[in-house]
Structure formats: C-alpha cells, structure tokens
Amino acid sequence: MSINLVAESRTVTAMVAGQPYLDWPDDLYIPPEALEVFLTTFEGPLDLLLYLIRKQNLDIVNIPIAQITKQYKIYIEVMSNFRFELAAEYLLMAALLAEIKSRMLLPRQVNVEEDEDDPRAVLVRRLQEYERIKKAAEELDEIPRMERDIFIATIDTSNVNVHKPKPEVQLQDIVLALQGVLKRVDQLTHHTITKEALSVRERMAAIMIKLEGSGSFLFAQFFTYQEGRAGVVVAFLAILELSKAELIEILQAEPFGELRIRARVGGGND
Amino acid sequence: MTEKSVEPAQRVNTTVKRIVEALLFAAEQPMSVAQLQAVFPELERPERVIIEAAVEALCDDYRNQAIGLHKVASGYRFQVKTDMADWVARLFSEKPPKYSRALLETIAIIAYQQPVTRGDIEEIRGVSVSSNMIHTLLDREWIKVIAHKEAPGRPALYATTAQFLDYFNLDSLAAMPPLQELQALALEGEMEI
Amino acid sequence: MTEKSVEPAQRVNTTVKRIVEALLFAAEQPMSVAQLQAVFPELERPERVIIEAAVEALCDDYRNQAIGLHKVASGYRFQVKTDMADWVARLFSEKPPKYSRALLETIAIIAYQQPVTRGDIEEIRGVSVSSNMIHTLLDREWIKVIAHKEAPGRPALYATTAQFLDYFNLDSLAAMPPLQELQALALEGEMEI
C-alpha cells in the first residue's frame, strides 16, 4: 500500500513534514468533524498506532514503517491543527518513528541476525505488549463485578442482641493518616494550618452548633471573661470568619444597638 | 415468626418467588409487598397475592436454615435465627473491624480543617470521598453537619463533635498534635511519633 | 464454583453447618475457612475438613435458590446468583460506577505484571500515569505498596489485593482472563518508502 496525495495550489488543509496537504487524506478513516471527539479517546501514542495498524488490517508483527509513520504524522498534524494540547508522548513517538524509518533506509549489513537488529523490533514488541494489556483491560471490564453484576446477600443481624464493636482508632492513627495526606499534597503551604487557626476553627464550629436551630444570640453571649484576652480574640476571629464565609449574619436593629448574631438560612446567593 | 405453611402450592409462581428471594437478600432494608411489586416493570407486575404467596413459600423454604424470613415493621427481611445469636455475637466480638486509610484521612482532614465540605476533603485528598465514609463517621457521631455552605448545591459543612474529642480523651481541638510538627515530620519522610 | 457433591454425608456435621451458614450470612466480609474456625471456642474448634465439608454441603443446599455460596479471594460469601443480577439492579437507583480505560489498563498491568512500579506502567501504556489514578486505586484498596524497588528514588512496587479479586468475583489471580499470546516477530524487509 502506498499513499498518493496530490498537491495543488489550493487551500492547504494541513502541513505534514513541510509538505502541504490540500485535502484530507483518503486514508484518514474518520471525518474531520469527528476528530475532536475521536482524538481524545486515544490513551496515548501506542493506542493511536495500534488503531492505525488495525484499521488497515496490517500485520502488527510486520508493520510497514514508512506507511505507518506517514499516517501517524498526519494525525499528529491534524491534532495540532485543532489546537489540541499535544502530550509530549505523541511527539516522542513521532520522533521514534522517524528515526526507525531513517535507519531502515540505510543499507543493511549482510551478516547480522535479522530480527535482532531490525529497528522495528522494539516498537513492535511494545505495541504487542500494549495491545494485550488493552485487551485484558477490556475483558476485565466485561467480567462480572460487584455493584454491577454481583450483589452480596445480606441479612439483618439487629435482632441478634450484640453490639458490634466499633473500630478502635488511636490518635496516632489519625495523625499518621494526615501525614500521609500532607506527604501527597505537593503544595504543603496551601494547607498550612497554625495552632492558633485551629482554635479559631474549633470556635467557629462551636458557634455554629450554638446557633443551630435557635434564633439569634447577643454578640456578647459569645464571649466569656474566664477565657481572658486570648479567648476573646479567638471568638472574635471566629465570628469574623463565619461572617466572611456567609454562614452567619450580624444584625444591628438600631444605631448603637446591641449586635445580634444568627445563622444564615437558605437562599444561596451564588 | 411468619412461618406458615402454604396451602395452594399451584398459586406460587416460582419465577416470582426466585426474584423476591434475590431482592430480599440484596436490599439492605426490609421490603414491603408494595416495594417488591414496584420492582417489576408495570406490564408484568404481579398482583399482591402472588408476591404474598412467594413470601410465604420462602418462609417455608428457609424453615430449617440458620436464617429465616421475618416480617418487621417496614416489611420483610432475612434474619439470623435466634438460636444462632450467640455464634453471631462471637463473630462480631472476635476481631474488631478496622477503618480504612481513606476513612482515617477523611476524619483527620475534618479535624484539622473544620468546617469543611466533602468537596474540600476531596480536593485535599486528591480522590473522591465516598458517601459511605461520611455516613460511617456521622453514624459514629464523630462528625456532624454544622451548616450548609452558601455555594451551588449548598454542600454540608462538617465539623468534629464533642464525642470525637471524648473518644481521644482530648479536652479541645487545640489539644490535637499541632500541624507544624507534622509537616516537619512529613518532609523528613520517616514517621516516628 | 466450589459446588461439588459431598460424598460421605456422615462427615457433614449439621450443627457446624448451621453455624457456618449463620456466620457467612452475618459477616460483612467474605470469610475464609480459618476465620470460620476461629469463631469457635478453642476446645470445640472443628477441624479444617469439617468446616470445608460444611461449606460444600451449603453450596449444595443453595443450588436451586436465588442466592448461592461463592468462593472469592478472601473467602466464602453468599451472593445473588448472576441470572438474578438484572432484577436486583432494578432495586438501586444509582448507576454502578464505570471505570475509565486508563484506570482499567493501569489495574490490568498491575494485576498481570505485579509487582510493578509506576514507571513500569508508564512504559507499557506509553503515557504518564497520574498520581490521582494511583491514589484512586490505593483508596479503593485494589492495590497496595508491597515494597520499594532498589533503584534510584526507591519507587513503590504495587501489587493487587484480595479486595480487588473479591470485587471482580475471582478467587485468585490465576482466575483472571488469560493474556493473549505474543506473536513472534516476522519482520521482513521494508516495503515502499
């Protein structure tokens, strides 16, 4: 199979390897409009190559590199024409194909073992490996699984007078778990919480619980002298935070009147 | 016990019985006759008596098994027979279950970042948080919904409860290990507490 | 399927069978023979073969019911027979989760090639693997880190868990669909350039 593309001086559809293409190539198997949806369905360059090979009934263990490279490049070109954010992997593959092609063009050395030295060998092996995983994934999707095909037979044990022990947790477990999260989150700084902020957050929760369901409270009712200056600051910050988060309303019935605080209800102003 | 013998055997539709059996085992709640009926597509919906006959036949089928079909307030449910209660109790006392890492991470985030929405937790953890996990924590009364965020969907804002602090013997959230030290530890990589 | 016929009927201890039945229904997880044994007090603990015989007899008892005993990786569980799945699915309004190709390919690579590093997965798929995906899999407890490779950066080596097999109703990795054979290379001279 060879590709013949006629170049004439009309509007150029795509530039492939410096060559203008005026029409969509005949062997582009999908209408260009469908490309947008289509191209995003590829799981990577190997997937795209496999598609090209299978679509043309080519033999995977004996792929014509020149032909497949040309096809692949057309797709890549089209992808960038559609301004797709082309993953580097696709470009890397294009480079690899070009390299293999150029090596194929070099005169062969006579007494070298064929397969071992064929620059296609590594690529073909990778394509095969990928294809079998792709098939395996498809099969895995088909076999019966929980939530879709398999349902566990459950019974009620509440008539049995036992209390099921709740899982036991050490504070340390929670700390370790959080550490795990922090380790994962690259931008640690985004989630930096100071000890002081923690007490503010706790107070925020306490205020919300106090306000729950029960009308409003006087501003002063959120402060207690026993807590001292630090306590007042924490309570005040908590009220400001809650107000900022639009969880509470601070009301004043008349000028210089006492402030009242109540939970914001309903609405949703977003 | 609802176990009665079924007289007119020919009234029992075995297909319906089989379906009812599967439904009663798969449902996590008791199911009423009406609920069982509603599962069938309208055109092939069996009459009430057919469902009732199927239920009775099932009661009979399980007469000698370790579990049986019982009628409770809201419908029918398979339960362990009472003579098996002690064994089931042993099963549950044998090994206290464990919480998953995912659940521990979730409670840790709620404790340190409260009040947070499920979305906040997902953002920090980088994976979705199952409703199951939230339910487990709500059930245990370690967290509660303290408000709803004024944002699209009005998501619930979760905070830890007094019970949570009690469980860990803390008198306030401020008594939780401070985070700065944690971060330092996390950065070091090795974790000894 | 573990459904085999039990030959020496006298070996089936009906009391043990009844207890095993109650335990398997009550347990929220599949139970292995060892776990079933462990529920019995030490002095009256039945031998392995007794439990196994009980399990086999139970398989037989439920042969014609809408539910049956099934063996998965972490043990035995009662589940709805597959021909009833469509009916049961009608019970739940939520659609079962769908998994992306990327996730399925990743878990397939881990299942078939374990233990593997993230790099190995990327090598096979030809694209980078997001941390998100790995976390989703860790979170579902389908995979776990079993070691770190002695290589620069000490990358984590992932393997699948029993929960993964349980989810896919398999009792061992060997029960997974076989991988297709790799064809031998047949590279002939390049054709038209």
Side-chain angles (χ1 to χ4, degrees), chain B residues 2-187:
Chain B
T2 35
E3 292 175 19
K4 274 182 279 170
S5 78
V6 207
E7 351 74 82
Q10 59 272 42
R11 265 181 70 202
V12 177
N13 177 325
T14 50
T15 313
V16 172
K17 188 182 96 170
R18 210 175 146 77
I19 294 167
V20 167
E21 185 183 12
L23 294 177
L24 287 172
F25 273 114
E28 272 137 28
Q29 303 294 326
M31 286 189 83
S32 65
V33 172
Q35 285 170 324
L36 287 165
Q37 273 183 297
V39 175
F40 291 82
E42 219 167 329
L43 289 175
E44 32 182 306
R45 190 161 296 163
E47 282 173 55
R48 217 184 146 78
V49 285
I50 306 288
I51 302 276
E52 278 164 356
V55 167
E56 282 189 23
L58 280 172
C59 285
D60 215 52
D61 281 4
Y62 283 87
R63 187 181 298 285
N64 299 315
Q65 304 304 127
I67 56 159
L69 192 50
H70 287 254
K71 192 173 197 319
V72 292
S74 50
Y76 294 93
R77 187 87 176 103
F78 278 101
Q79 294 185 331
V80 217
K81 296 266 171 77
T82 37
D83 62 321
M84 288 288 115
D86 291 347
W87 288 101
V88 173
R90 287 185 62 88
L91 168 70
F92 291 138
S93 60
E94 205 53 42
K95 43 150 194 151
K98 272 189 159 178
Y99 283 140
S100 65
R101 202 178 55 103
L103 187 131
L104 291 173
E105 288 183 7
T106 302
I107 183 68
I109 290 167
I110 297 174
Y112 281 94
Q113 294 280 56
Q114 57 192 287
V116 287
T117 64
R118 190 157 142 184
D120 297 335
I121 304 169
E122 291 179 341
E123 196 183 317
I124 298 175
R125 294 194 53 233
V127 270
S128 66
V129 170
S130 72
S131 355
N132 239 332
M133 219 139 62
I134 298 288
H135 281 143
T136 306
L137 290 170
L138 285 169
D139 269 359
R140 184 129 197 202
E141 299 187 326
W142 276 6
I143 63 169
K144 61 184 285 186
V145 177
I146 54 158
H148 288 265
K149 196 170 177 170
E150 289 301 333
R154 307 200 68 244
L157 279 164
Y158 300 101
T160 52
T161 59
Q163 285 92 322
F164 171 78
L165 292 175
D166 288 348
Y167 184 89
F168 292 106
N169 223 359
L170 302 169
D171 58 359
S172 76
L173 274 178
M176 301 243 342
L179 262 184
Q180 290 99 322
E181 289 169 33
L182 284 181
Q183 288 177 349
L185 278 174
L187 290 172

Side-chain angles (χ1 to χ4, degrees), chain A residues 87-119:
Chain A
E89 292 104 353
Y90 283 95
L91 301 174
L92 189 66
M93 180 58 75
L96 178 70
L97 286 169
E99 191 210 327
I100 295 175
K101 192 174 126 186
S102 59
R103 283 177 59 193
M104 301 283 306
L105 289 171
L106 294 175
R108 290 191 169 223
Q109 283 189 299
V110 222
N111 49 3
V112 184
E113 282 189 39
E114 288 256 327
D115 285 4
E116 291 298 308
D117 198 45
D118 195 311

